[in-house]
Amino acid sequence: NGLTCLVPLVLMGNNSNTYPIANPIKLSNLMIKVKSTLPQAMSTKDLYTRLSGITITWNAFKHFYPYHEEINTDWSKQLPLALDAVFSNKTTTDYVSVLRRLTEKLKDGHIRVSNPSFNDFYNIAAAPALVEGKLIIREVDSIPDQAKLPLLPGDEIISINGKSALQKLDSLKRQISGSDQWKMARALPELFSGTKDSEFLLGIKRNNDTQILKLTRKNYRKPNKKTTIKKLDSRIYFIDISTTKMDEIKKILPELVEAKGIICDLRGYPTNNHEFINYLLTANDNNKWMFVPKITYPDFEKVSYDGIGWNLKPSTPHISAKIIFLTGGGAISYAESYMSFIKHYKLATIVGQPTAGANGNVNRFSIPGGISISFTGMKVKQQDGSQLQSIGIQPDIFITETQKAIREGRDEYLEKAMELLKSYDWPGNIRQL
């Protein structure tokens, strides 16, 4: 409609004010008038609130998202599609779905579209998994004062409320941004979620027998794991990196120094314990693999970067045991910083599946209607300079799980690690795994 906007790239000023110097009384009066005319809250039921939210979101990623080149998304084509979609929205849920489908195109595992008014995070005490092309129950937790769910590990999930469970999983993934492995890691926990005390019908198959179960969603959160350090075999140790604090690791350093093998489980998120890497390193680390953008022009043009790293140094006593790291698609951000050292400096054999492929500090902004959105603000690479975003850190040995192992309560990641360590030549020359 003929509207234009002039934005200066340089704003002149001194320590107390910018130029030209504004009249503070006029500014105060203007702000009073603005506040008196604005509604107390903007509702996503209003079309113009939705249109403005799409516009703000698209512009935030247009000018500040650091991975357009790597992801190769034609972002300009997404704006008219999203604007057109919100015209038919009837609920906030519909609107948030449009925002999620829009941001899914950016393949960024740090993207979240959140609305504090949503109340659909209640669940059942069972974790699903996609194994051999089928959705199955991986584990079932017991909850105090509640009857145990009539589910068993290895049960195949056929339907949810009469509709294909696999189709529901695919629908969830279409609204999650990130790599394929991260989409799966996020979508699976949401498969059964819904509002508090709501009921749903779950169709399962067990031993070729199909059952329809009526289940109720509760305020369920998976119990926090306790510190886990175990001695698995003669001089072979297991450390759960996602639950074990650095102080606990330091307490058993004398034993780890004497160990033949150590299995480190980093399929989740570390517990501020990356100092453990220092005991594996043999040389100083001066690598720069995280890059903070300096953005002064529109359209992410003429961007410069400040490169930084962790600058780790070897610590004593040095751990010379054979190390195995377990990882997978649920390992994101800080976990990938951790794993990047393991990969780049060849500190361990990596067993499992690719990590999430989303690392770097997170930026957040809000749009009208009380919705907040986050995304990756830094450009982080593999330590060899190659792309990390949406790819992840690749394992040395890839693990494909089986329904049979889950039914039998076996961890095939851990089994492969033990197999590797037991096939290792002790002592003598190292045999390549």
Side-chain angles (χ1 to χ4, degrees):
N1 294 327
L3 292 174
T4 60
C5 181
L6 182 65
V7 181
L9 295 177
V10 176
L11 186 60
M12 305 300 292
N14 55 28
N15 291 336
S16 60
N17 56 262
T18 57
Y19 297 112
I21 298 175
N23 185 318
I25 297 176
K26 289 184 177 180
L27 176 60
S28 178
N29 291 336
L30 175 61
M31 294 304 298
I32 291 171
K33 290 180 181 179
V34 169
K35 290 179 180 179
S36 66
T37 57
L38 284 175
Q40 291 298 311
M42 295 187 183
S43 172
T44 55
K45 294 180 181 179
D46 182 78
L47 173 62
Y48 289 97
T49 298
R50 300 196 299 271
L51 291 172
S52 64
I54 293 293
T55 305
I56 293 168
T57 300
W58 184 87
N59 272 285
F61 287 105
K62 170 69 173 175
H63 301 295
F64 300 103
Y65 185 56
Y67 291 106
H68 281 294
E69 183 178 347
E70 288 84 352
I71 303 307
N72 195 26
T73 298
D74 191 342
W75 193 235
S76 61
K77 287 185 177 180
Q78 305 307 319
L79 179 60
L81 294 174
L83 289 172
D84 184 62
V86 298
F87 275 87
S88 59
N89 288 165
K90 292 182 172 61
T91 66
T92 299
T93 301
D94 294 337
Y95 176 47
V96 170
S97 293
V98 173
L99 288 164
R100 287 176 175 168
R101 290 196 300 271
L102 170 65
T103 54
E104 184 273 338
K105 306 295 189 300
L106 297 165
K107 299 181 181 180
D108 179 9
H110 277 140
I111 286 180
R112 293 284 194 284
V113 180
S114 305
N115 188 320
S117 65
F118 278 15
N119 188 29
D120 57 356
F121 303 113
Y122 294 86
N123 218 320
I124 61 173
L130 185 69
V131 175
E132 298 175 317
K134 297 181 288 186
L135 275 169
I136 65 170
I137 298 295
R138 179 189 292 282
E139 56 185 316
V140 183
D141 291 331
S142 296
I143 301 178
D145 303 322
Q146 290 187 27
K148 187 174 177 64
L149 289 172
L151 297 169
L152 295 174
D155 287 348
E156 183 178 355
I157 305 162
I158 303 298
S159 63
I160 299 173
N161 286 333
K163 297 182 180 179
S164 165
L166 284 171
Q167 288 181 5
K168 179 172 182 180
L169 180 68
D170 288 339
S171 177
L172 288 169
K173 288 167 61 180
R174 285 195 291 272
Q175 294 191 43
I176 296 171
S177 192
S179 63
D180 289 340
Q181 58 268 28
W182 178 244
K183 284 170 175 278
M184 187 66 67
R186 272 198 60 198
L188 285 168
E190 295 181 19
L191 194 65
F192 304 139
S193 66
T195 56
K196 185 179 181 180
D197 295 328
S198 59
E199 294 182 336
F200 70 101
L201 299 177
L202 182 66
I204 64 166
K205 182 188 288 186
R206 182 188 301 164
N207 299 325
N208 295 320
D209 178 36
T210 301
Q211 305 175 45
I212 304 296
L213 306 173
K214 181 182 285 187
L215 303 176
T216 303
R217 301 176 177 100
K218 297 292 184 180
N219 187 17
Y220 166 70
R221 293 291 184 273
K222 189 171 179 59
N224 292 327
K225 292 182 180 179
K226 297 180 180 179
T227 297
T228 306
I229 301 178
K230 299 178 183 178
K231 191 172 184 180
L232 300 179
D233 206 336
S234 177
R235 294 171 66 188
I236 294 179
Y237 288 79
F238 172 87
I239 304 174
D240 190 337
I241 301 295
S242 65
T243 61
T244 307
K245 295 181 180 179
M246 194 62 216
D247 288 346
E248 299 298 320
I249 296 175
K250 286 182 176 180
K251 287 179 183 178
I252 64 161
L253 274 176
E255 296 176 61
L256 297 180
V257 169
E258 297 298 323
K260 286 184 176 180
I262 304 171
I263 300 171
C264 299
D265 192 341
L266 189 39
R267 285 175 279 185
Y269 201 80
T271 311
N272 196 27
N273 52 16
H274 64 272
E275 186 184 346
F276 178 65
I277 299 170
N278 296 343
Y279 297 96
L280 308 180
L281 285 172
T282 57
N284 290 348
D285 155 57
N286 297 308
N287 222 8
K288 289 182 173 56
W289 41 279
M290 299 183 289
F291 301 90
V292 182
K294 291 183 175 181
I295 304 169
T296 54
Y297 285 81
D299 303 318
F300 213 77
E301 293 180 355
K302 301 180 183 180
V303 174
S304 60
Y305 294 89
D306 287 334
I308 55 177
W310 279 6
N311 301 317
L312 299 183
K313 296 179 180 179
S315 294
T316 55
H318 176 70
I319 296 174
S320 57
K322 184 63 185 176
I323 312 293
I324 308 287
F325 261 78
L326 312 180
T327 196
I332 190 171
S333 202
Y334 175 28
E336 295 185 281
S337 295
Y338 206 123
M339 288 303 305
S340 72
F341 282 88
I342 304 303
K343 182 76 172 182
H344 183 69
Y345 291 104
K346 298 179 173 60
L347 303 179
T349 300
I350 302 174
V351 172
Q353 297 186 9
T355 60
N359 196 6
N361 288 13
V362 177
N363 289 343
R364 292 179 175 84
F365 63 96
S366 297
I367 60 176
I371 295 169
S372 64
I373 300 174
S374 62
F375 66 98
T376 305
M378 292 168 64
K379 181 169 284 195
V380 180
K381 299 182 179 182
Q382 307 269 12
Q383 293 214 27
D384 64 2
S386 60
Q387 181 178 335
L388 172 73
Q389 186 76 355
S390 81
I391 294 175
I393 294 167
Q394 304 300 304
D396 300 310
I397 298 174
F398 195 90
I399 295 296
T400 301
E401 294 181 282
T402 63
Q403 185 179 8
K404 181 176 183 293
I406 291 175
R407 186 181 292 121
E408 295 171 356
R410 296 189 286 113
D411 185 341
E412 291 172 285
Y413 287 68
L414 185 58
E415 287 181 344
K416 173 56 71 172
M418 287 296 292
E419 176 190 327
L420 292 170
L421 289 177
K422 288 183 176 181
S423 68
Y424 193 67
D425 288 336
W426 311 107
N429 294 331
I430 294 175
R431 185 165 68 218
Q432 293 294 321
L433 298 179

